[in-house]
Structures are given as C-alpha cells and as structure tokens.
Amino acid sequence: MKLLLLEDDDATRVQAARQLTAAGHVVEACATGPEAIFMATQGDYGVLILDRMVPGLDGLSVLKALRAAGVRTLALLLTAMDGIDDRVEGLEAGADDYLVKPFAAAELIARVNALSRRPPMSDTAVTATIGDLTIDRVKRTVTRAGQRIELQAQEFKLLDYLIQHSGEVVTRTMLLENVWSFHFDPQTNVIESHMSRLRAKVDRGFGRDLIQTVRGAGYRIDD
Amino acid sequence: MTEPLQRSQSPFRSGAFRFALVFAAVFAIAAFLMLSMVRHQIGHYAHKAMEGSLTSETATLIAEEPEGLAGEIRRRMGATNGAAFQYLLLDRQGRSLVGAIPQATAHEGWGSVVMREHASTPTDPEGPERLMTLGTRLADGSLLVVATDGFDVDKVGGHMTRFTILWATAITLIALVGGWMTGLIFLRRIGAANAAIERIVAGRTEQRLPMIGLAPELDDLARNVNRMLDRIDGLMEGLRQVSTDVAHDLRTPLTRLRQMLEAAREAAGREETDAGIEIALAQADQLLATFRAILRLAQIQGGGRRTPFAPVHLDELLRTLIETYEPVASDAGHLLTADMVAGAVVKGDADLLAQLFANLIENAIIHTPSGTRVSIEVQREGDAIEVVVRDDGPGVPGAERERITRRFYQVDPSRSGGGSGLGLSIASAIATLHEAQLTIEDALPGLRIGVAFAQYSGTPENL
C-alpha cells in the first residue's frame, strides 16, 4: 500500500520509512505541511501518517485543510503530546487514529495495517467466522466446533476486536484503547491476564490455537 | 533582555488626563445645552407674563371714562415708582393725545418696538430697549397702545451666558489641571509597578507588584497579577523539582539498561545475545512508560486545557474497572471485592477518573503480598461521595504515609513490583483537578485510601 509520511525530524522520517517499507508498503515522505497537502491532494495514498508537531503548518492544520478540501484518505496522527484533549482534538480534526511518540516500529506498522483494512461500520457483519469459531455480535454468543463458549463482557469485546482485525497484529496499546478505553499505561498485566483467560476458553482443548502471540509486537487471531 | 518595559510618559499623554479632557468636553456641552434650555424657558415665561400684564393694564384703562382716560394716562406716566408701562393714546383721526412711544406702534393687536433713545451704555450693554405693545381700539374710535419692557429677557440671558461661559471655562481648567495632576500621580504609581515587573523579568521572581492605589479595581488588578505570579512561581518550583527527580530517578534504570546492553554484547552465543536485547528492550519500554507518566502528571498538574467535565456514574465506572482487574488480582493471588451504593454521580473527566482508580487498585495489587484482600467501596454521606480502596496488607508506616504521593517515592524499592513510583502522584493530581480530597490512612491492618467528591446535583436529564 502507498503511504504518505509527514515528519520533520530527518532521523525519525528515514527510520519510519525504512520500517514501513520493510513491512511491504510504499512510502513517500515529506518534511513540511504544504508539501504534505500538495502530495495528499495529488497522489493516491492508502494512509496518511502525519506528525502533529511540524514547524510552520503542523500536521493538525494539514489534516484540517485536507478534510476541508474533501480528501477522505485515512489518517494517522503522530504526536509527542499525550493529553486527552490533544487526542480528542486530533480525532475531531478528522484523524482516524492517534499514536503517541515514542513508539515501537511494530506499533506503527500494526496501526497502519489496522487502518488500511478497517471495515466500514456497516460492513461489520452480525456474525463472523475464523476457522471453526463463530461470533454472533447481536446475540453476543461464541461457538467453536459447535460448542457454546461462555465469555465475560470484556473477554467478548477483546475477542471481537481481534476478529475485526483477523490476520493482523494488534498491539497492547491498541487493545487498551479500543477494548478498555484506557489512555494510560497500566502497571499490571491487564492485557495478559484477560488474554490468558480468553485463550483458556477459546483455544484450550480445541487442538489448534487461533490466538497467537507475536513476539515484541502483540497478538493476532488467524485460522 | 528585550526592550525596556517602562516608557517615560508625559502626564498629558496619560489615561487620567485623557479622561479629564473628555469630561471637560462633556461638561462644556452639557453647560451649553442647559443654558440654552434655561434661556428658552425664561424667555417663554417672560413673554407670557408680559402679555398678561399688558392685557390687564389695558383692561384697567378701558374701564376708565373715555374723557378721563388721557388724564389717567398722564397721571400714570408721572408716577415715579418705577413705571412698568408706557402709553400712547390716539384720537379717531390718529392724532396723538398723550404718550411717549413711537407712532409706529399705533395699530391694533400685539406688536413690538425698539426704543432708539436707549443707546447702549457700559452699564447696559444690551443696547436699545425692546418694548412689547398691545393696541386696542376703544368704543369712541380712539386707539390705546400700552407697552412694557416689564421683564428684560435679553438682559437676563446675557448675564446667564457670561456666567455660564465663565464657570464652564473655570471648571474645564480645573478638570485639566486635575487630570494632569492625577495623570502624574497615576504614572508614578504605574511606574512603581512597572519597575517591579522589570525586576521580575530580570530574574528576581520573588518580587511582587506594589498596590497601585487610586482605585480599588487597580489594586484588585495588582493583587490578581501577584496571585498569578505566585502560581507561576509554584509551577516553576514544580518544574525544577521534576527535573531533579527525573535526573535522579531515571539514572538507575538507564544504568541498568546500559549494563544489559553491555552484557548482550559480550554474550557468548546468538541466543544469549537475543535474550539480552529482549530484556534491554523491555527495560527501554519501561523507561518510556515512565516518561509518558511524567508528562501526563505534568499535564494534569498544569491544569490548562482539558475536555469539559461531565457527569460520571462512579458505580458503573468502578464496576468496569473491577471486571478489568479481577483477573489481574486473582493471577497475583489477591481477592478483589466491591461494595457500592448506586447512583453515585460526580462531575469529572471519565478517562482521568478511570486512571485515578486504576492506579489505586493497581497499587493495592502490586505493593501487597499474595493472599491480600483488596476491597473497593463507594460510600455516601450527605452530599459527599467517598470511594475507598482498602487492603489488609502490611500497610504503610505512619511517617511514610505523608510522602507516598510524592513523585518516584517508593516505600520499599524491593517491593515496588515494577511500578514507576508515579501512580499515587498521578492519582493525587487527578483528585486535585476534580477538587476531591485524597486521604491515606491506616486500615489496621493494611492501607485505606479514600477519595471524597462532592455529589453531582445536576438534573437527571443531564446524565
């Protein structure tokens, strides 16, 4: 997929572009707001990755300008600011996701992938199937190999999120933000505790594990 | 140092002087308007009075026998007690029988005439006398004209004009001198305040503005600026403290990280190197998390911009948190219980409140040994709602309880369980932001942390 990267810091720009390229994307990078606006309106990009703190015309203004001009390309804001207001402001300006610096390469790649394959809300079907596991979002039921699996509310949300991004890596931060609405780093193993319980119910005794741990990155559900 | 703050100003350019100018102008205009109005009113009244007196004098004379009328007029003209009227009597053929006013006035009805013989003199600058006349045709065909200058409107008007101009000028001058003096005093006082600001800018941040005086609102301004300076001073002190803490407390994990990387470099096999790098990465992540926490703490403490507070149902929020932490607690061998009253609503930021209670719950799990019970209670007393996180662990000694909300403060580093040492500082900052009271007490055994809020008393449809 073709990505546009706006980042004024040379080292960060080169490094991020290299990592995204290694993950199979085509990256076109620029260092100033006006360049980003020009490129985004001319080129056909899958995702725009915009650094919020760029001297002059910053990422937020670039995004607002693009949205005002009718550019609907998915956008991911990078920022060193981690206030709740900053995030809300970013999302209100039309960002589809928001990543706080400094971040691991795996985190950036996972989020870009998640964004690029984000199903429109209307496409989230009532039921989804991964291998022999089926989830019904209306009845809130999960079955595997014909057996009903009882899940707690948060376990259900966790599984649902994994399934919405099946085949992709989802990071801890993505899970914290989207399943728990936590915008801070817990000091305890919240994700791990819930994940181990979910695995015990979904995978244990079924021969094949659907939920996999991706070392140094996060989790993935795959058949 | 940028351009100096104080510009020496002339009192004529001061605000006070400009005010004085404006007031002087307003006064002059008002005086002019008032004078015009008074003159008009007096003129109108005098005119009516003259008409009245002429009508009654004429009626009195007509009541005389016609043959005695000329004699009566002569008698009246001869009277010395300030003759208010002058007369003219013409026979049927228009010949003057008696009287001293010009023939020009010899017609029926109202009229006026100027007596030229009354030339203007220094004592009477009004010049010629203006008379008002009333001519009446009598039954025998003769014409009686009565005239009066009974009320010299013009003279009074002239006096009033002179009087007003004199006073308006005097008061304008007084206003200008007063304005200049006030401006001078004002500039001196402001100058003292500016000098204080100069000193603050130069780095003497303990300096404060003197009271400006002259007006309570100016003193309020000085007081508010001083309060602002106190606040900035406090924030600066906090910043200095954070820098020191950060420099001091991050040295240890950074040193550890360095050692791990060194060990990884010197490791014998590829596997060992990879394992070393893995540990170093985890360590780096921990450091980054600490930095994020420091930034977050600074943001919360700074207040600044934030999303507007909205009603938050504490029991719902806590129930979700308990569901989140129950597996964590049981993995650590702890028991998490809840006892909550329904309908506890406070005004706040749900995200921040979630972090506040998550930090308290995590602390209770991290810093107590396996087998500890952690309970979360919501109590209501009158208009106050208190959320209590209680454990029956080893507790915190009395002297330490004062200090555990400080940044990086750890009661027993060996028991820290990987915490950043910022959890309680952040909790305390969030409580402060919500004007809630955070109390740390001995639970005998264990620790009791309470956060007391004011119950939100909005209308139900807001919720």
Side-chain angles (χ1 to χ4, degrees):
Chain A
M1 185 173 48
K2 196 159 79 153
L3 309 174
L4 172 65
L5 172 65
L6 164 65
E7 168 61 69
D8 61 310
D9 179 64
D10 294 344
T12 311
R13 189 175 60 245
V14 170
Q15 179 74 350
R18 219 162 45 81
Q19 286 159 340
L20 288 164
T21 308
H25 296 290
V26 177
V27 181
E28 294 183 359
C30 60
T32 67
E35 273 182 286
I37 291 179
F38 176 76
M39 289 164 75
T41 48
Q42 301 304 313
D44 177 27
Y45 298 98
V47 176
L48 310 174
I49 304 167
L50 308 171
D51 181 18
R52 188 176 163 153
M53 301 271 269
V54 177
L57 197 66
D58 61 64
L60 200 65
S61 312
V62 167
L63 185 58
K64 281 181 183 163
L66 289 174
R67 291 292 185 248
V71 175
R72 294 273 158 266
T73 317
L74 293 163
L76 167 66
L77 270 184
L78 305 180
T79 176
M81 297 188 280
D82 183 25
I84 286 171
D85 304 336
D86 300 317
R87 199 178 49 249
V88 169
E89 206 181 332
L91 297 175
E92 278 176 352
D96 298 279
D97 199 2
Y98 194 93
L99 184 54
V100 181
K101 286 176 170 182
F103 46 80
E107 184 78 39
L108 177 63
I109 291 161
R111 285 186 184 244
V112 167
N113 290 341
L115 266 185
S116 63
R117 289 197 237 157
R118 171 185 286 194
M121 282 312 288
S122 58
D123 287 6
T124 310
V126 172
T127 61
T129 304
I130 301 279
D132 54 354
L133 179 126
T134 305
I135 183 170
D136 184 320
R137 297 185 170 112
V138 173
K139 294 185 192 146
R140 302 190 78 76
T141 57
V142 177
T143 55
R144 184 163 183 190
Q147 288 182 42
R148 176 81 180 265
I149 297 172
E150 294 298 334
L151 293 182
Q152 302 269 19
Q154 292 184 355
E155 289 164 355
F156 186 90
K157 272 176 85 174
L158 177 56
L159 180 65
D160 188 12
Y161 188 78
L162 285 170
I163 289 172
Q164 279 179 38
H165 298 274
S166 63
E168 299 165 23
V169 176
V170 292
T171 64
R172 288 178 75 257
T173 319
M174 284 160 84
L175 291 172
L176 283 170
E177 285 178 7
N178 296 292
V179 177
W180 282 275
S181 305
F182 274 14
H183 299 287
F184 55 92
D185 298 313
Q187 314 252 323
T188 54
N189 306 326
V190 174
I191 304 278
E192 292 76 359
S193 291
H194 283 268
M195 198 59 88
S196 71
R197 275 165 179 68
L198 180 65
R199 282 173 144 163
K201 292 176 178 179
V202 170
D203 281 339
R204 194 172 300 161
F206 288 100
R208 204 162 50 84
D209 287 351
L210 295 176
I211 302 173
Q212 294 139 22
T213 305
V214 182
R215 220 161 62 91
Y219 302 92
R220 182 175 50 215
I221 195 162
D222 228 333
D223 60 348
Chain B
M1 188 65 210
T2 52
E3 64 169 298
L5 296 167
Q6 257 179 290
R7 290 195 310 267
S8 59
Q9 283 196 333
S10 116
F12 289 112
R13 295 187 48 199
S14 73
F17 186 73
R18 284 179 198 171
F19 274 128
L21 265 184
V22 170
F23 279 118
V26 167
F27 179 82
I29 291 166
F32 173 77
L33 285 174
M34 194 179 78
L35 169 75
S36 311
M37 224 166 61
V38 168
R39 277 196 65 170
H40 176 261
Q41 287 292 332
I42 287 176
H44 182 75
Y45 167 78
H47 200 84
K48 283 277 171 237
M50 284 196 300
E51 278 181 6
S53 62
L54 284 176
T55 310
S56 71
E57 180 70 7
T58 305
T60 313
L61 287 171
I62 291 172
E64 292 285 332
E65 292 300 316
E67 45 277 15
L69 181 57
E72 176 58 20
I73 289 174
R74 269 191 214 94
R75 199 184 58 74
R76 290 189 177 217
M77 284 168 66
T80 50
N81 49 355
F85 297 101
Q86 301 192 42
Y87 309 91
L88 180 64
L89 185 60
L90 305 175
D91 64 11
R92 193 183 307 185
Q93 287 71 36
R95 287 187 303 255
S96 170
L97 297 175
V98 65
I101 44 177
Q103 291 272 345
T105 62
H107 57 79
E108 285 180 63
W110 298 105
S112 69
V113 66
V114 176
M115 301 288 278
R116 297 267 169 232
E117 58 271 31
H118 284 262
S120 92
T121 64
T123 52
D124 182 15
E126 298 307 312
E129 191 179 16
R130 180 184 297 278
L131 294 181
M132 188 172 179
T133 62
L134 174 58
T136 313
R137 184 71 60 186
L138 304 182
D140 62 355
S142 55
L143 181 72
L144 168 66
V145 179
V146 183
T148 182
D149 65 343
F151 198 89
D152 196 338
V153 185
D154 294 338
K155 210 178 279 186
V156 172
H159 282 309
M160 278 194 54
T161 306
R162 281 197 304 281
F163 176 82
T164 310
I165 287 173
L166 190 75
W167 272 106
T169 310
I171 285 181
T172 305
L173 277 173
I174 290 168
L176 293 181
V177 171
W180 179 79
M181 281 172 65
T182 315
L184 199 65
I185 296 166
F186 187 73
L187 284 182
R188 285 217 182 117
R189 301 284 179 90
I190 292 280
N194 273 331
I197 292 174
E198 285 264 31
R199 289 195 293 272
I200 294 165
V201 171
R204 293 178 54 190
T205 54
E206 80 290 346
Q207 287 271 316
R208 291 293 174 264
L209 266 61
M211 289 297 112
I212 296 171
L214 299 174
E217 51 269 42
L218 289 177
D219 282 349
D220 282 348
L221 178 67
R223 254 190 294 274
N224 283 333
V225 170
N226 285 341
R227 279 177 49 209
M228 180 181 80
L229 289 168
D230 288 341
R231 173 92 176 111
I232 292 172
D233 232 16
L235 288 172
M236 293 272 288
E237 182 49 45
L239 201 59
R240 274 194 287 274
Q241 192 63 47
V242 169
S243 314
T244 315
D245 286 348
V246 168
H248 186 267
D249 284 87
L250 293 180
R251 201 175 304 146
T252 312
L254 278 169
T255 309
R256 213 178 301 151
L257 176 62
R258 197 174 183 290
Q259 287 165 346
M260 284 168 189
L261 288 171
E262 274 184 348
R265 190 179 56 189
E266 270 135 43
R270 174 67 202 260
E271 236 172 79
E272 237 180 292
T273 307
D274 282 354
I277 288 174
E278 211 53 61
I279 297 170
L281 273 174
Q283 182 72 31
D285 284 344
Q286 180 67 49
L287 267 169
L288 287 174
T290 303
F291 267 113
R292 273 200 297 273
I294 290 169
L295 282 175
R296 195 160 175 80
L297 177 60
Q299 274 191 319
I300 295 164
Q301 283 179 327
R305 283 181 322 112
R306 55 169 172 74
T307 39
F309 279 180
V312 178
H313 287 261
L314 280 187
D315 42 343
E316 285 172 23
L317 184 139
L318 286 163
R319 239 182 282 285
T320 309
L321 280 178
I322 288 163
E323 204 181 317
T324 301
Y325 281 103
E326 199 284 317
V328 180
S330 76
D331 284 355
H334 290 56
L335 183 69
L336 193 59
T337 62
D339 176 15
M340 301 189 277
V341 295
V345 183
V346 300
K347 212 167 159 65
D349 180 320
D351 275 351
L352 285 175
L353 289 172
Q355 183 172 7
L356 159 57
F357 298 121
N359 283 2
L360 297 183
I361 296 168
E362 289 191 329
N363 265 349
I365 294 171
I366 293 172
H367 299 294
T368 57
S370 182
T372 304
R373 295 166 62 92
V374 178
S375 70
I376 290 127
E377 299 149 34
V378 178
Q379 301 160 354
R380 193 186 307 179
E381 260 184 56
D383 285 344
I385 291 174
E386 189 174 33
V387 178
V388 178
V389 178
R390 190 197 304 266
D391 69 68
D392 60 0
V396 174
E400 305 265 8
R401 283 204 294 272
E402 298 288 307
R403 295 197 283 265
I404 57 175
T405 54
R406 289 195 200 159
R407 271 186 297 271
F408 300 119
Y409 189 82
Q410 297 190 331
V411 178
D412 178 0
S414 64
R415 280 211 327 237
S416 76
S420 65
L422 290 168
L424 263 184
S425 313
I426 289 176
S428 166
I430 295 172
T432 305
L433 190 69
H434 286 78
E435 291 171 0
Q437 285 288 322
L438 189 135
T439 52
I440 301 171
E441 292 162 5
D442 203 334
L444 303 163
L447 196 66
R448 175 196 190 276
I449 300 188
V451 190
F453 297 85
Q455 161 87 22
Y456 174 70
S457 51
T459 49
E461 57 265 27
N462 292 352
L463 306 185

